[in-house]
């Protein structure tokens, strides 16, 4: 395939890139360069401007200032088509796939060589997919609809798509933040294999991945380059410190397990998934006040359904959920909240906030009828403002003010809004589902500290997470969920990531001192 | 037997205006824009289709040609109105529901006003005559049902497979579907989403214009203010009913037209069946069908009604 060979990109340079959005300076005079066959890690806190910078490189945004040079000569990308033609390709943070089209159609959408005015040559696209799949060992089912695929499979489709379009230079925007640990390992291996043929810009918050994979690292802080250097010369701790401008130490739960009363007792719980099968299938779990129980497991093993059932968002088929002695199974969400349950849901944008509502309105979503915030059907706006200012300050939420739409905040700040709302209501118990997914280390540290504080104050917490480190750092006990049941529960001291990994895969070792 | 054949032979041409307009609306919606102004474009199409043959085409050898000139004018005006609508909802991001109602009132109002100004009162035209297909129209049962209509009916029934092909087999159809289902994704892979939406609106408008012209030139052979009689709205409803799929939409259009033909036939026999009920039926059916097919909605344009701008986060 001679026409396959897009001009080589022996060097790529972005120079003095500046981009403003209303009220925000997203990129402030950023310069960086990448050589052939190099893997550059781009790191920075949420909102540092990484995605914006890469969107500029792909021709999606026009920079207000600055220029892009490929092989030493300036290029201007007016649309992604120009960037594709130059051999660039990007896997976006939010996958850019049309859910109700097949994999084949999604790729055909960009594969212009298969287009004639009256027909798309899908067979040609299929052949091209086969070619790429063979070459990189990336198998995808061309006839599957995207909505049928798991997150990991969708990402593979994204990779195949960019490679099919002829990318010689790959941009990966937080590719691992939604993957399971196994999928992450596979991806890292794949990228290592690809480095002989491609240059890569890799964005991640997980610094061990950055260490493991990249040659050089560029750290962005609030829109400008804070540091640039070779990866091998710096430890993850140093990189984290440069990223946040201070030292980051993820806190650990080292306090002795306190003997609280039983706060939440789940017995024989059965809950159906959206697709109708029993996602939670006879689950037993008990959590005390002043205790954090980590629920480890590969996502999709019933975590979502369990959390929703506890919070009254999904009906319980069988079994009971005793909350301080009262069965709350099948109560309405409002009743569960009134019982003193706090909830950090998995989907922060769609379930945790009302995106177009202002930040201050989101703070009182659960209390809009409370006499503190409303009197005789009217909202007490001054009180709402006071509350919002206090929480914004206390939780260090970065935004111009408290009137901005919550949906316009960055992921880390949205999570802080949710955390602030839930914790400030002083619940008796908290269900936290993937509370730090996709967040940078600074934000994760903040959230971990808050959770440990609340534990010390006597709150019971169910922490659902895929991140073994997070679970190991914070939990008093760790329950591993597999196919809707607790396959084993370990004490903090007897757990390590190897044991958990084995359990998460559904294998229960005999002879272990399992509880 | 004769009764059934009559109903079918009546119902098939009845369905044509609905069919054409709803296929046009299907393209709009597949690209992510719903155009409630369909009724207004149809009214304009009906008026313009009627105008040319009425003013210049009376009798004489060129009469036929003026019919078709009327059709072209109706389609061109429809496409223009679609583009005009696009300016409001795509470029200026106006709320589509409100803008659509505006377009509907504009179209119906302007057509009616021009009609009174240029024509005055009710006037009939010869219109486009039936063109039975030799031999085929002589087949018992099928002949009168399928092969004894005017040329536009035949054209209309070539449209569903054509629309299906365009939507699912051509690059443009691919772009249209992607723009309506996930504009951000389409944009990221180089599709000019807003251009595609304009194109779809022009196509949809042209088809709505054609549907209107069919009503004045072939069905009523006259123009009046009430000529569209809510068909534009039914066409919109049919798109939902048919889940944005050309063949299902065709089925829906036929179903409702046959119900209407049945109602007329029953009335003709002196049995009083409320007309309003027949008109209501499609809407009721749409509500019922939509209520029971939620997962099907995910197969259609999931970004329907939402304007797209790359730099504005939604
Ligand atoms: N389309 C947009 N409109 C307004 N502000 C935006 C937009 N995109 C990004 N921003 C703002 O620009 C800054 C950088 O965002 P982003 O590039 O997404 O950060 P990162 O990817 O590093 O987390 C943030 O403050 C964000 O709120
Ligand atoms: Mg980002």
């Amino acid at each position: 395939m001679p026409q396959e060979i897009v001009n080589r990109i022996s060097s790529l340079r972005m120079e003095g890139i500046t981009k403003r959005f209303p009220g925000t300076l997203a990129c402030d005079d950023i310069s960086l360069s990448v050589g052939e066959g190099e893997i550059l890690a781009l790191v920075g806190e949420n909102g540092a401007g990484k995605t914006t910078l890469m969107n500029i490189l792909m021709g999606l945004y026009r920079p207000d200032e600055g220029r892009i040079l490929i092989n030493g000569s300036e290029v201007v990308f007016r649309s992604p088509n120009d960037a594709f033609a130059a051999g660039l390709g990007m896997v976006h943070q939010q996958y850019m796939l049309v859910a109700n089209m097949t994999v084949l159609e999604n790729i055909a959408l960009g594969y212009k060589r298969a287009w004639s005015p009256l027909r798309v040559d899908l067979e040609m696209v299929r052949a091209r997919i086969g070619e790429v799949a063979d070459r990189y060992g990336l198998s995808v089912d061309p006839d599957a609809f995207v909505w049928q695929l798991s997150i990991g499979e969708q990402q593979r489709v994204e990779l195949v798509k960019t490679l099919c379009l002829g990318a010689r230079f790959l941009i990966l925007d937080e590719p691992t933040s939604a993957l399971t640990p196994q999928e992450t390992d596979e991806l890292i291996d794949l990228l290592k294999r690809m480095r002989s043929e491609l240059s890569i810009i890799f964005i991640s918050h997980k610094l061990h991945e950055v260490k493991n994979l990249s040659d050089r690292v560029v750290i962005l802080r609030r829109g400008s380059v804070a540091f640039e250097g070779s990866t091998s010369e710096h430890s993850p701790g140093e990189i984290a410190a440069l990223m946040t401008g201070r030292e980051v130490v993820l806190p650990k739960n080292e306090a002795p397990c306190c003997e609280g009363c039983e706060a939440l007792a789940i017995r024989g719980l059965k809950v159906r998934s959206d697709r109708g099968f029993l996602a939670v299938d006879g689950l037993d779990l008990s959590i005390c006040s002043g205790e954090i129980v980590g629920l480890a497991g590969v996502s999709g093993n019933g975590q979502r359904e369990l959390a929703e059932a506890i919070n009254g968002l999904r009906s319980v088929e069988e079994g009971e959920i005793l909350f301080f002695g009262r069965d709350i199974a099948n109560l309405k969400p409002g009743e569960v909240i009134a019982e003193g349950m706090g909830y950090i849901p998995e989907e922060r944008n769609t379930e945790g906030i009302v995106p177009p509502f202002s930040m201050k309105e989101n703070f009182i979503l659960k209390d809009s009828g409370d006499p503190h915030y409303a009197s005789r059907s009217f909202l007490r706006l001054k009180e709402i403002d006071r509350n919002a200012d206090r929480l914004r300050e206390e939780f260090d939420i970065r935004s111009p003010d408290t009137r901005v739409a919550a949906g316009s905040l960055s992921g880390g700040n949205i999570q802080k809004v949710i955390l602030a709302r839930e914790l400030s209501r002083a619940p008796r118990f908290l269900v936290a589902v993937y509370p730090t997914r996709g967040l940078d280390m600074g934000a994760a540290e903040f959230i971990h500290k808050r959770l440990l504080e609340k534990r010390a104050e006597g709150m019971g917490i169910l922490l659902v997470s895929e991140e073994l480190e997070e679970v190991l750092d914070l939990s008093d006990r760790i329950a591993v969920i597999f196919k809707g049941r607790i396959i084993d529960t370990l004490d903090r001291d007897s757990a390590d990531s190897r044991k958990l990994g084995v359990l998460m895969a559904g294998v229960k070792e005999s002879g272990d001192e399992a509880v | 037997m004769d009764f059934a054949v009559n109903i079918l032979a009546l119902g098939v041409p009845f369905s044509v205006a609905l069919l054409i307009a709803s296929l046009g609306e299907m393209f709009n919606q597949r690209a992510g824009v719903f155009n409630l102004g369909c009724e207004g474009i149809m009214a304009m199409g009906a008026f313009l289709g009627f105008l040319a043959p009425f003013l210049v085409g009376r009798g004489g050898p060129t009469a036929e040609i003026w019919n078709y000139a009327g059709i072209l004018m109706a389609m061109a005006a429809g496409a223009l109105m679609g583009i005009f609508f696009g300016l409001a909802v795509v470029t200026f991001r106006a709320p589509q529901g409100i803008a659509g109602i505006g377009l509907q009132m504009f179209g119906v109002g302007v057509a009616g006003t021009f009609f009174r100004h240029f024509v005055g009162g009710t006037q009939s035209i010869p219109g486009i005559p039936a063109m039975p297909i030799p031999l085929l129209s002589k087949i018992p049962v099928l002949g009168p049902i399928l092969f004894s209509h005017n040329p536009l009916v035949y054209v209309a029934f070539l449209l569903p497979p054509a629309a299906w092909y365009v939507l699912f087999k051509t690059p443009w159809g691919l772009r249209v579907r992607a723009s309506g289902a996930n504009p951000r994704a389409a944009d990221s892979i180089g599709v000019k989403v807003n251009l595609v939406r304009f194109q779809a609106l022009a196509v949809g408008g042209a088809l709505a214009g054609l549907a209107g012209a069919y009503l004045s030139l072939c069905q009523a052979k006259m123009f009046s203010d009430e000529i569209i009689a809510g068909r534009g709205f039914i066409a919109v409803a049919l798109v939902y009913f048919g889940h944005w799929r050309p063949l299902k939409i065709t089925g829906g259009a036929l179903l409702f037209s046959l119900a209407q033909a049945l109602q007329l036939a029953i009335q003709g026999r002196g049995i009083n069946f409320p007309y309003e009920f027949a008109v209501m039926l499609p809407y009721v059916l749409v509500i019922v069908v939509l209520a029971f097919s939620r997962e099907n909605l995910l197969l259609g344009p999931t970004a329907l009604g939402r304007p797209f701008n790359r730099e504005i986060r939604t």
Side-chain angles (χ1 to χ4, degrees):
Chain A
M1 297 217 57
Q3 81 259 52
E4 252 337 287
I5 299 163
V6 183
N7 298 336
R8 287 171 47 193
I9 299 184
S10 50
S11 76
L12 182 142
R13 184 165 169 73
M14 299 182 84
E15 245 175 40
I17 301 285
T18 298
K19 176 77 187 173
R20 291 178 201 89
F21 289 112
T24 321
L25 182 57
C27 298
D28 182 9
D29 191 21
I30 297 179
S31 300
L32 59 80
S33 54
V34 189
E36 191 167 11
E38 189 175 44
I39 301 187
L40 176 77
L42 187 61
V43 301
E45 300 185 282
N46 301 108
K50 307 178 295 291
T51 300
T52 304
L53 186 68
M54 292 301 106
N55 280 336
I56 289 171
L57 187 51
M58 286 305 295
L60 280 162
Y61 291 165
R62 300 296 298 275
D64 296 322
E65 282 158 46
R67 53 190 202 143
I68 299 169
L69 303 151
I70 290 183
N71 301 337
S73 49
E74 182 167 354
V75 290
V76 178
F77 295 155
R78 290 201 172 72
S79 87
N81 286 322
D82 297 341
F84 297 146
L88 271 55
M90 175 161 171
V91 175
H92 292 262
Q93 196 168 354
Q94 283 152 330
Y95 297 155
M96 294 293 187
L97 296 170
V98 183
N100 55 20
M101 302 201 319
T102 62
V103 170
L104 197 58
E105 289 175 325
N106 266 285
I107 294 175
L109 198 55
Y111 196 58
K112 300 210 172 57
R113 205 167 304 144
W115 293 7
S116 59
L118 285 181
R119 210 169 84 87
V120 184
D121 187 350
L122 288 177
E123 290 318 305
M124 184 173 172
V125 183
R126 191 189 297 276
R128 177 77 181 133
I129 294 175
E131 213 176 282
V132 166
D134 287 346
R135 179 138 154 221
Y136 297 99
L138 276 167
S139 67
V140 294
D141 173 6
D143 296 307
F145 281 92
V146 167
W147 57 264
Q148 295 171 320
L149 304 178
S150 72
I151 296 290
E153 289 169 320
Q154 291 187 25
Q155 185 179 67
R156 217 174 313 146
V157 173
E158 283 281 23
L159 275 169
V160 170
K161 181 172 90 179
T162 35
L163 293 170
C164 280
L165 304 188
R168 315 290 303 149
F169 190 107
L170 208 55
I171 300 163
L172 299 160
D173 194 356
E174 296 192 28
T176 58
S177 57
L179 295 188
T180 64
Q182 294 92 314
E183 287 170 330
T184 303
D185 291 343
E186 283 169 29
L187 177 71
I188 301 274
D189 284 344
L190 174 74
L191 296 179
K192 281 183 176 168
R193 268 183 280 137
M194 284 176 164
R195 74 188 318 162
S196 59
E197 303 177 32
L198 301 164
S199 313
I200 298 174
I201 294 183
F202 177 82
I203 300 179
S204 176
H205 291 307
K206 298 180 190 163
L207 298 180
H208 60 272
E209 294 170 0
V210 168
K211 273 298 275 183
N212 187 349
L213 190 65
S214 67
D215 306 306
R216 279 194 314 120
V217 56
V218 167
I219 300 175
L220 291 188
R221 193 159 73 216
R222 300 188 183 197
S224 46
V225 176
F227 173 79
E228 185 176 357
S230 131
T231 314
S232 53
E233 288 163 17
H234 300 274
S235 71
E238 283 167 10
I239 297 174
L242 287 162
M243 206 167 97
T244 47
R246 67 192 161 83
E247 201 172 343
V248 181
V249 187
L250 288 179
K252 277 195 192 325
N253 180 357
E254 279 157 344
C257 185
C258 73
E259 298 282 317
C261 61
E262 188 171 64
L264 186 73
I266 299 172
R267 306 228 175 91
L269 191 70
K270 292 192 177 176
V271 183
R272 286 193 189 281
S273 76
D274 287 338
R275 295 200 211 137
F277 62 89
L278 282 175
V280 175
D281 190 4
L283 181 138
D284 299 293
L285 186 65
S286 139
I287 301 163
C288 298
S289 296
E291 181 185 45
I292 298 183
V293 171
L295 188 69
V298 176
S299 71
N301 273 295
Q303 291 97 323
R304 156 177 281 267
E305 288 80 6
L306 173 64
E308 290 183 353
I310 294 173
N311 285 285
L313 296 164
R314 189 174 281 273
S315 58
V316 171
E317 206 74 2
E318 237 184 273
E320 52 186 14
I321 305 172
L322 294 177
F323 190 53
F324 292 97
R326 180 176 176 207
D327 190 3
I328 56 165
N330 289 326
L331 289 191
K332 295 190 181 71
E335 294 167 340
V336 177
I337 292 169
E339 285 290 317
M341 183 72 77
Y343 181 35
I344 299 178
E346 175 173 358
E347 301 282 344
R348 65 180 74 113
N349 285 302
T350 52
E351 300 172 346
I353 55 164
V354 180
F357 279 24
S358 65
M359 188 164 120
K360 60 182 181 184
E361 286 166 334
N362 272 289
F363 280 141
I364 59 144
L365 279 187
K366 290 188 169 175
D367 298 299
S368 55
D370 187 290
H372 190 63
Y373 297 115
S375 70
R376 296 197 213 102
S377 310
F378 289 98
L379 288 173
R380 299 173 60 186
L381 298 177
K382 285 219 180 74
E383 201 48 55
I384 291 172
D385 280 337
R386 210 170 303 144
N387 175 59
D389 290 334
R390 187 172 58 79
L391 292 181
R392 185 164 87 102
E393 171 95 31
E394 189 183 333
F395 285 80
D396 184 28
I397 301 167
R398 313 242 172 99
S399 69
D401 53 49
T402 62
R403 283 166 308 180
V404 292
S408 73
L409 299 173
S410 73
N413 284 310
I414 291 177
Q415 196 70 328
K416 285 181 181 173
V417 168
I418 298 170
L419 191 77
R421 178 183 69 219
E422 295 303 317
L423 295 188
S424 67
R425 304 183 67 254
R428 293 199 281 175
F429 191 89
L430 180 71
V431 178
V433 187
Y434 306 119
T436 61
R437 188 186 258 179
L439 300 193
D440 63 68
M441 281 184 68
E445 176 197 27
F446 182 89
I447 287 172
H448 286 179
K449 278 193 179 145
R450 290 299 160 125
L451 294 180
L452 287 176
E453 263 170 46
K454 286 293 162 183
R455 171 192 175 277
E457 288 169 19
M459 191 192 284
I461 299 176
L462 173 62
L463 170 71
V464 180
S465 177
E466 278 180 333
E467 296 276 341
L468 293 182
E469 280 165 48
E470 176 168 61
V471 172
L472 285 165
D473 281 354
L474 298 185
S475 310
D476 294 290
R477 285 184 300 136
I478 300 164
V480 181
I481 189 170
F482 182 74
K483 294 209 171 139
R485 292 179 195 215
I486 302 299
I487 162 167
D488 208 344
T489 309
L490 305 177
D491 280 331
R492 180 171 68 217
D493 303 324
S494 62
D496 58 46
S497 52
R498 193 196 57 86
K499 271 188 203 164
L500 290 178
V502 171
L503 285 169
M504 281 165 70
V507 182
K508 185 166 175 177
E509 291 171 81
S510 53
D512 236 310
E513 77 282 23
V515 181
Chain B
M1 188 65 191
D2 271 1
F3 182 66
V5 171
N6 275 341
I7 290 172
L8 288 170
L10 197 61
V12 166
F14 269 1
S15 69
V16 167
L18 283 180
L19 180 58
I20 298 176
S22 53
L23 289 176
E25 179 72 16
M26 178 195 74
F27 279 110
N28 296 341
Q29 295 201 7
R30 278 285 187 171
V33 184
F34 61 92
N35 186 351
L36 289 184
C38 188
E39 178 97 1
I41 301 182
M42 286 175 80
M44 206 65 166
F47 171 69
L48 289 172
F50 164 88
L51 192 65
F54 172 77
L55 289 181
V56 283
R58 299 199 142 169
T62 55
E64 273 291 286
I65 292 175
W66 287 105
N67 286 331
Y68 291 98
I71 287 178
L72 283 183
M73 269 172 61
M75 290 180 72
L80 265 178
M81 285 171 81
I83 290 169
F84 176 68
F85 184 66
L87 210 61
V89 301
V90 176
T91 308
F92 298 114
R93 306 158 59 84
Q96 296 180 6
I98 297 301
I101 293 172
L103 185 67
Q104 178 250 332
M105 296 200 287
F106 171 83
V108 171
V110 169
T113 309
F114 279 16
F115 175 69
R116 267 178 296 283
H117 186 78
F118 291 111
V119 183
T122 310
Q123 300 266 4
S124 66
I125 48 172
I128 298 179
M131 186 182 82
I133 296 180
L135 296 180
L136 288 179
S137 58
K138 297 286 185 292
I139 304 173
V141 182
L142 287 185
I145 296 175
L146 294 179
F147 301 114
S148 310
H149 303 296
N150 68 69
L152 278 191
V153 178
Y154 308 132
V155 171
F157 279 89
L158 294 179
L159 270 180
W164 175 85
Y165 184 88
V166 168
L167 201 55
F168 292 101
K169 298 290 161 190
T170 66
W172 186 70
L174 209 57
R175 292 198 292 267
V176 166
R177 283 189 291 142
S179 301
N182 189 345
R184 213 158 271 283
D187 181 53
S188 81
I189 197 165
V191 174
K192 297 190 176 72
V193 172
N194 286 342
L195 176 67
V196 169
R197 289 184 169 178
F198 266 103
Q199 291 166 338
L201 282 169
V203 170
L207 288 174
L210 175 64
Y214 173 85
L215 286 175
S216 60
L217 281 171
C218 304
Q219 194 161 316
K221 302 190 198 291
M222 56 170 267
F223 179 87
S224 76
D225 280 353
E226 295 82 34
I227 186 164
I228 310 299
R231 284 184 185 82
F233 290 106
I234 296 180
V236 176
L238 280 174
V239 176
Y240 288 90
F241 178 85
H243 291 133
W244 303 277
R245 303 199 145 257
L247 306 186
K248 273 193 180 178
I249 290 172
T250 309
L254 277 170
L255 188 68
F256 298 137
S257 310
L258 291 178
Q260 208 184 348
L262 181 70
Q263 171 252 334
L264 282 179
I266 291 173
Q267 253 176 355
R269 300 197 154 192
I271 307 163
N272 200 8
F273 183 77
Y275 166 75
E276 291 81 0
F277 191 78
V279 173
M280 190 179 82
L281 212 58
Y283 294 103
V284 174
L285 270 173
V286 165
I287 292 169
V288 172
V289 168
L290 290 185
F292 287 101
S293 59
R294 281 186 49 220
E295 63 275 28
N296 270 325
L297 291 182
L298 295 177
L299 299 179
T302 33
L304 185 60
R306 294 214 294 272
F308 174 72
N309 179 319
R310 197 185 266 170
E311 301 217 355
I312 296 180
R313 284 193 184 171
T314 42

